[in-house]
Each structure stands twice: as structure tokens, then as C-alpha cells.
Amino acid sequence: MSSRPLVVFGILGTSLDAGKGPARWEKWRPTVSLCQHEDLLVSRLVLLAEPRFGDLATQIEEDVRHASPDTIVERIAVTWKDAWDFEEVYAGLHDIARAYPWKPEREDYLIHLTTGTHVAQICLFLLTEARYFPGRVIQTSPPRKETRGGPGAYTIVDLDLSRYDRIASRFSRERHEGQSFLKAGIDTKNASFNRLIERVEEVAKASRAPMLLMGPTGAGKSQLAARIYELKKARRQIQGEFVPVNCATLRGDAAMATLFGHKKGAYTGAVADRPGLLRKADGGLLFLDEIGELGLDEQAMLLRAIEQKAFYPVGADQEVKSDFLLIAGTNRDLGARAARGDFREDLYARINLWTFRLPALRERPEDIEPNLDYELELASRLLGVNVTMNRAAREAFLDFAASPRALWSGNFRDLNACVTRMATLAHGGRITKENVAEEIERLELAWASGRIHLQHGSSAGGGEILAEVLGAEASTKLDRFDRAQLEEVLRVCRASRTLSEAGRTLFAESRKERTTVNDADRLRKYLARFGLDWQTASGRST
């Protein structure tokens, strides 16, 4: 121990410190025992006591002086009326800490956490950890049976030292384990994606509010929603089922009945009662993928179900209760749809509290390799053989996968499908460079077909990209030719990492005939015709 005076702060224990007559000296009393240890010389004992227990406090002061004549006892009256009221106790101890004349350069302080209500002990610990009480924690324990009557034992913990750091590091490890779980154990390298997962994990643990997962098709929204459910279930925050619903498959009366259930005879074909998926999700998690595809009537009923935890099945005159957590997924711009009246603004506001945009695979080139390894493991389990790639095959695949040639329009679905195909065709589970070359040819043909499809304006969501970037009114004033061309340019910009990369993709053929190429400048000038720049076109504007 230090040679400086030792000051101990403690709360009067109305039960543990109590005792009358000579027999009290045979009872272990934590506050008195502090001053009975030969190797713990207490210069001053600061006793925090409620005024109504003044007689007990006086008795403890006298017994401390008897046990340790050199110890000065200082009594401070605490102001709370209810020792189990967290806010009141915390405020009272906080006021004491701020008013006390601390002298840390001349005195050492110990904070006794053995006495007082559990609420008071917690508050005292928190204030000590925050350095309002600038000392170390001391805990005392009673003597063993064979040494009854002795002072017992004590333990001192410095909240600034490594022992506490090891305790705190357990929470850090748990947090990282949660993030790794949400990423399916994949060692992702993309910094922005890792930050996103870190925030998702924080929100998933702390909030029951709806979450909105945005991103292109195949970016992993469904998988992330399922893992959020498993994380919550593992932490006992949820007990019910995980109920995934693809809203794009719901149409007409069937949509209402599927989601909210129906009573027998509610409409033609309703031959029996049906509980509905919202009822099935009671106590669990409901994942509504492609929520933007729901009709306005379904949206209205869903909003009521979210806010009031109740809804009416089709044909019912009594409401049904269901307390579920909601995660919604979409590849649409719901804000733009709400502005046009295609999506209810009140529902959008309700589900937009926690919104996370999952990036496309092309936006995470550094994560292609760890995801490739993950897909190879999945293929191995699926096929029952150890699927591997030789070095030449791996290098050829990764070079292509990160190049402008690889569109990854289906994102991780494309990656999963191409690895599955290569693994299936590989002899003995060994993927060769020839397997990779065959698969690259297959992918490029598929993506080329997709580009032709987009250029003919038949892809859903093209008008939404224009409305989002140009505004709803301006986008409607474009000629059909300009609309089709600009939609494709904007898609390529959003799938590219840089202006130059987008230019190389868009001008891949014409650039071959030029002696000098400046794809970035050509694209910049094209965008300027519509009053756009790279940040706006790529969706990276702040």
C-alpha cells in the first residue's frame, strides 16, 4: 500500500452493519471490518448514511474508533428517500462526489461496494468508473467458519488497470463475435461495409424498432435479416419464429389473406380460417422483403399492425394481437416512391428510423476473395467433396471478378451460382483454369443479354433511378431515347467504383478505335448535359 493517507468511502449497511450488545463483536460487520485489517490502515472513513439510521451510524462510528483509534470517522448524510430508486440514488451520490474536497495528489481513495442496496452499489460503481469518485474499488467478505470473529477478507480492484481491462475486453470480444456472426464468419475487408455491420449489430442488440435494409437484388438483405434474428434469439431478446415474406409475390386478395389472415367465407375460396403471417410472427421477427411491392391497402393495415400491435383479418370483426419485430427490405427508392404517392409516407416514416444500405458486390472488390472462399465451403458441403481451386484458376477468377468486365448484376447470387457451377463441373472437386474460363464466358453472355434487356427499357426500377437523380418532374420531360440511355449510364455509374471505371465499361468498344482515350472526360461531359456530376450519378453524394 502507498504511504499516503488512505480514505475509504462506504454506505452504511442497515442490515449487515447492524448489531447490539457485546455479541455484535462476534458478528461480521463490513464497515467495522474495514478498520480491523492489520495491513489496511484506514486514515479516514467517510460514512454515507441516511439520517433516519442515525443511531446505527453513531454505533458504527464508536465501534470503528474502538477497533482503530487512529481512524477518523466522517459522516455525510445522503439525501435520497428511496434507496431503491436508481435516479434518486445516482443523483444523490453524484452530488456528494462533486461537492467533496478531493485531494488525489495527497490521498489515496477506496470505494467500498459491499454495503448499501444493490441499486446504491451499482450507482457507486458507475460513478467510480466515471472517476467522479477518484479511487479504487474495495470489496469485503466475511471470515471462514474456522476464523469466526475475524475481519474477513478484502479485494481491491483498480478500474484503470489491466485486471479491469480484461473484464472489459470480454464485452469487446462479444461485440466482435456478434459482428462476425452477422457476416457469416466471412473476414470482410471493405471498411464501409464493416462499419455498417458494426452499426447494425449495435442497433439489433439495443432496439426493437423497425429496420429497413436497402440495396440491390442479391446484396444479402435476406441473409442479414435472418442473422439479425438469430443474434436476437441467442441473446434471448426474441422467442418467436423468423417469418420471411417476399412481398413481390403477393397480389390482390391473396396478399391481404397471406399477411393478415382471413375468416372462413370472407371471399370465394376462403373455406377455412387462416391465421396469416403477421400472426405467425407473434413474439418473433417478420421480414418483409421487397416491401415496396405492397399495395396501398396492405401498407395501411401494416402501419396499424406496427403501431398498435393489432389488426383485423379479412372478413373479421374482431382484431387480432401480434407483437412482432419488423425488418423490411427493398431495392427501390422508397423516398421517391412516397413522393410520387406510390408508397405511404406515414409507413415510410415509421420504417425509416434505422435504415442501412447494403452495397453491391462491385462496390466491395476487396471482399470478393473472402466471399469466394465462403462459397467454396458451401459448395463442398453441398456436393460432399472438398472443392478447391488451383493457383492459376484462383488468380484468373479474381482478376476477372474485380475487373470492369464483371458486372455482378445479381451480386452475391451471381457469385454463388458461378461457384456452384464450377464446383459441379470440376473433376475431383479441383477447379482448374479451364473451368474458370468456361464460367467467365457464361457470365459475360448472361450479363450481355441483361444489358440488351435494360437498354430496351423493360427493367423495373429504371424510371425510379431517373426520378431519384433528376427529380420526378424533370425525368418525365426526357425523350424516350434519352431516358433509356441515361438509365443505363446511371446503372453503370452506381455499379462502378470510379468515374474512369464507369467510362471504361460504357465506352468499351469505341475506345478500341481511338488513339488516345479519356473515358472519364467523355462520361463527365455526357453527365453534364443533364446537369449531373459523378457524385450524384453514382449515388455517392453526401
Side-chain angles (χ1 to χ4, degrees):
M1 297 294 293
S2 169
S3 59
R4 299 190 300 182
L6 181 64
V7 181
V8 179
F9 279 73
I11 299 173
L12 177 68
T14 56
S15 297
L16 291 176
D17 284 335
K20 295 182 179 180
R24 70 181 185 276
W25 289 102
E26 300 193 14
K27 176 190 175 184
W28 178 74
R29 293 176 292 166
T31 300
V32 176
S33 75
L34 282 168
C35 304
Q36 291 180 308
H37 294 279
E38 295 183 0
D39 58 345
L40 189 69
L41 304 179
V42 180
S43 299
R44 189 166 74 253
L45 174 66
V46 181
L47 190 61
L48 310 180
E50 297 180 57
R52 60 191 176 120
F53 297 111
D55 290 345
L56 175 59
T58 298
Q59 179 69 69
I60 292 299
E61 288 180 14
E62 292 177 357
D63 288 348
V64 166
R65 292 191 185 99
H66 177 79
S68 179
D70 294 330
T71 300
I72 299 171
V73 180
E74 176 184 351
R75 192 192 310 183
I76 296 179
V78 296
T79 58
W80 57 73
K81 296 179 181 178
D82 182 359
W84 294 93
D85 185 306
F86 189 95
E87 182 177 2
E88 189 179 8
V89 172
Y90 188 94
L93 290 172
H94 182 263
D95 290 342
I96 290 172
R98 294 196 63 180
Y100 196 80
W102 304 101
K103 301 174 183 177
E105 71 282 356
R106 288 186 286 176
E107 296 177 330
D108 291 328
Y109 300 101
L110 295 178
I111 315 302
H112 190 209
L113 293 186
T114 307
T115 51
T117 64
H118 292 162
V119 168
Q121 293 173 13
I122 292 170
C123 292
L124 201 54
F125 174 85
L126 293 174
L127 288 164
T128 303
E129 185 185 35
R131 310 306 293 170
Y132 284 102
F133 285 86
R136 295 172 292 171
V137 166
I138 183 171
Q139 291 180 296
T140 54
S141 56
R144 298 178 180 178
K145 292 182 179 181
E146 60 270 19
T147 58
R148 180 171 295 178
Y154 68 87
T155 302
I156 296 175
V157 179
D158 190 333
L159 300 187
D160 283 339
L161 297 183
S162 59
R163 182 171 182 179
Y164 180 70
D165 288 342
R166 289 196 298 272
I167 297 173
S169 69
R170 296 182 62 181
F171 297 99
S172 178
R173 287 197 302 271
E174 181 180 345
R175 184 175 67 253
H176 290 303
E177 288 169 0
Q179 294 165 21
S180 177
F181 178 79
L182 292 179
K183 295 187 295 183
I186 302 172
D187 186 19
T188 55
K189 309 297 183 183
N190 184 272
S192 61
F193 178 76
N194 287 339
R195 285 194 298 269
L196 180 144
I197 292 298
E198 180 179 355
R199 185 55 51 87
V200 168
E201 191 255 355
E202 291 173 353
V203 172
K205 291 194 304 185
S207 175
R208 291 181 58 86
M211 296 172 63
L212 178 60
L213 303 181
M214 302 182 67
T217 299
K221 299 185 290 294
S222 299
Q223 291 82 355
L224 181 57
R227 288 192 168 274
I228 291 172
Y229 166 77
E230 293 295 343
L231 182 65
K232 282 181 168 293
K233 188 174 182 181
R235 296 178 62 86
R236 296 179 178 84
Q237 294 177 342
I238 200 169
Q239 287 79 42
E241 294 184 46
F242 175 65
V243 182
V245 185
N246 187 342
C247 299
T249 64
L250 305 179
R251 291 290 184 271
D253 291 339
M256 283 286 192
T258 300
L259 290 173
F260 306 101
H262 65 235
K263 299 297 290 183
K264 178 180 178 181
Y267 56 86
T268 303
V271 296
D273 289 351
R274 182 178 185 178
L277 295 177
L278 266 69
R279 183 64 186 276
K280 183 179 181 182
D282 185 24
L285 192 150
L286 178 68
F287 175 55
L288 295 180
D289 197 13
E290 305 304 343
I291 191 173
E293 302 301 322
L294 285 180
L296 294 176
D297 291 340
E298 289 84 6
Q299 293 176 30
M301 288 187 66
L302 176 62
L303 177 63
R304 185 176 187 274
I306 294 171
E307 294 183 338
Q308 300 184 20
K309 308 298 183 186
F311 56 90
Y312 287 93
V314 178
D317 54 10
Q318 286 189 329
E319 65 180 12
V320 171
K321 299 286 186 181
S322 182
D323 186 4
F324 57 86
L325 302 185
L326 175 67
I327 297 180
T330 183
N331 64 357
R332 304 295 187 97
D333 183 349
L334 294 185
R337 290 175 66 85
R340 295 197 305 272
D342 297 332
F343 196 85
R344 291 183 63 101
E345 290 187 359
D346 47 6
L347 177 59
Y348 178 61
R350 190 68 180 83
I351 65 177
N352 194 36
L353 176 62
W354 296 110
T355 300
F356 303 97
R357 179 189 175 274
L358 274 64
L361 178 57
R362 280 179 57 85
E363 298 176 54
R364 300 167 50 192
E366 61 270 65
D367 286 343
I368 292 177
E369 184 170 13
N371 275 280
L372 171 62
D373 292 332
Y374 175 74
E375 295 295 344
L376 289 171
E377 290 181 12
L378 288 183
S380 297
R381 291 198 293 270
L382 177 67
L383 300 174
V385 296
N386 183 30
V387 179
T388 60
M389 302 179 80
N390 64 39
R391 184 172 180 177
R394 187 180 187 88
E395 290 177 353
F397 182 83
L398 291 175
D399 286 345
F400 165 77
S403 73
R405 296 163 54 201
L407 300 184
W408 298 120
S409 52
N411 292 291
F412 291 94
R413 291 178 183 170
D414 279 355
L415 181 62
N416 171 267
C418 80
V419 173
T420 300
R421 285 191 294 264
M422 290 189 295
T424 302
L425 296 175
H427 296 294
R430 185 72 167 172
I431 298 175
T432 64
K433 193 173 181 178
E434 289 71 26
N435 296 132
V436 170
E438 182 181 346
E439 181 57 31
I440 289 174
E441 182 179 0
R442 182 185 291 109
L443 287 171
E444 290 190 313
L445 286 172
W447 290 332
S449 174
R451 282 199 296 270
I452 294 172
H453 181 69
L454 292 175
Q455 288 167 353
H456 281 80
S458 58
S459 172
E464 293 183 0
I465 295 178
L466 292 179
E468 177 188 347
V469 175
L470 297 177
E473 183 177 355
S475 65
T476 60
K477 296 180 180 180
L478 293 177
D479 290 335
R480 186 171 181 178
F481 174 81
D482 286 334
R483 288 178 62 85
Q485 190 176 60
L486 183 56
E487 285 172 9
E488 173 66 1
V489 169
L490 292 176
R491 285 192 183 90
V492 172
C493 287
R494 294 195 167 195
S496 302
R497 290 168 290 175
T498 64
L499 180 67
S500 296
E501 181 181 306
R504 287 193 299 271
T505 301
L506 289 164
F507 307 121
E509 294 303 319
S510 61
R511 71 195 307 267
K512 296 176 182 178
E513 301 175 1
R514 292 173 172 251
T515 55
T516 60
V517 293
N518 192 338
D519 302 319
D521 186 59
R522 291 177 68 186
L523 178 55
R524 187 182 294 109
K525 289 176 179 177
Y526 174 83
L527 293 173
R529 287 174 47 197
F530 302 94
L532 302 175
D533 57 19
W534 164 249
Q535 284 72 25
T536 304
S538 63
R540 293 172 172 82
S541 56
T542 56

